Amino acid sequence: MSAVERQRTCAACGGPFEAGERTGLETVVAGGILYVAVHSHHSTYPPRRESEAAHRLATARAA
């Protein structure tokens, strides 16, 4: 059984997977190695510092 079939929802956003949708697979270490399915372009990992800083700067400029 695949991670998508087992989970049925994205590990990052909680939204359901559509039939035939492309998904990503991430490794999570929590007492063992687990694999979780996520929507494309979603991630359970924290954003990179550079990306987060750029996002904050763009948000501050827009305000």
Side-chain angles (χ1 to χ4, degrees), residues 9-49:
T9 59
C10 177
C13 74
F17 292 118
E18 300 294 327
E21 179 180 11
R22 275 195 99 95
T23 61
L25 193 63
E26 292 187 351
T27 305
V28 177
V29 178
I33 298 175
L34 306 171
Y35 295 95
V36 296
V38 294
H39 288 116
S40 294
H41 307 293
H42 285 192
S43 180
T44 59
Y45 301 128
R48 293 179 44 194
R49 285 183 166 177

